[in-house]
Amino acid sequence: MAKSIVVLISGRGSNMEAIVEACAREGWDARVSAVISNRADAAGLAYAAARGIATAVVDHRAFASREAFDAALARAIDAHAPDLLLLAGFMRILTPGFVQRYEGRLLNIHPSLLPLFPGLHTHRRALDAGCKAAGATVHFVTAELDHGPIVAQAVVPVLAGDDEDALGARVLAREHVLYPLAVRWFVQDALRIEGGVVRQLTGEAQLLL
Ligand code: GAR
């Protein structure tokens, strides 16, 4: 049966778009059944609605605690019986209970070469550190922020004269290739976590250069 994918966003949603489009173009045995945001003004919601995808907003400001927000979020998610839950620019810290509920079927994309630069302002921190390479990581989500078994990484050069925006744009363009690739592997049941390390069975490289 086609796998149900639910995507959580907080803003632009360009990674969500890349996944919706790859799913259609490549004919995955899956469908994006809902896009859910913690912000009503997230631009990605309009894109999803225009594609006939169910949308929902669960505004974190309406809840007194992270636990209460996560419980409401889980109810909205579970209405779509997800086989796979994707964080795509979802800028909320999730409770351990929430992460545990979706363990093994919860992926995130982060704009750095993890374990370098978890958290915010990754491109500025890479520039400040004088890094010669930067990139993005897709990983299974664990209770620790921006950690968890790495599914795939994309590397880009840091070029002389780069500022945060230029480097961020170079990384984002690769995110749009990387995240759909990792999601397709999940849909194909091609991912195995062994001792905290992700192996995938299609023979494709888990590193995009
Ligand atoms: C992406 O660069 C993603 O890697 C990053 O937010 C951006 C969302 O863009 N995620 C994080 O920083 C999570 N820690 P998008 O809304 O256009 O996909």
Side-chain angles (χ1 to χ4, degrees), residues 8-17 44 87-92 108-112 117-123 135-137 139 145-146 168 171-172 175-176 179:
L8 304 186
I9 65 170
S10 294
R12 181 177 51 191
S14 68
N15 277 290
M16 175 271 297
E17 262 186 56
L87 308 181
F90 186 67
M91 305 308 269
R92 300 296 304 167
N108 180 44
I109 189 159
H110 183 73
S112 79
F117 310 131
L120 298 174
H121 309 302
T122 54
H123 306 309
T137 303
H139 64 98
L145 178 71
D146 297 330
V171 172
L172 187 66
E175 291 185 43
H176 296 161
Y179 211 177

Side-chain angles (χ1 to χ4, degrees), residues 13 45 65 73-74 114 124 133 147 154 170-171 187-188:
L45 289 172
S65 66
L73 187 61
L114 290 174
R124 187 192 309 162
H147 278 71
R170 191 175 307 120
V171 172
V187 168
Q188 293 175 316

Side-chain angles (χ1 to χ4, degrees), residues 138-174:
V138 175
H139 64 98
F140 281 98
V141 175
T142 57
E144 195 180 347
L145 178 71
D146 297 330
H147 278 71
I150 291 171
V151 177
Q153 292 186 304
V155 177
V156 303
V158 178
L159 301 178
D162 269 354
D163 60 12
E164 223 176 316
D165 287 349
L167 180 57
R170 191 175 307 120
V171 172
L172 187 66
R174 300 305 281 159

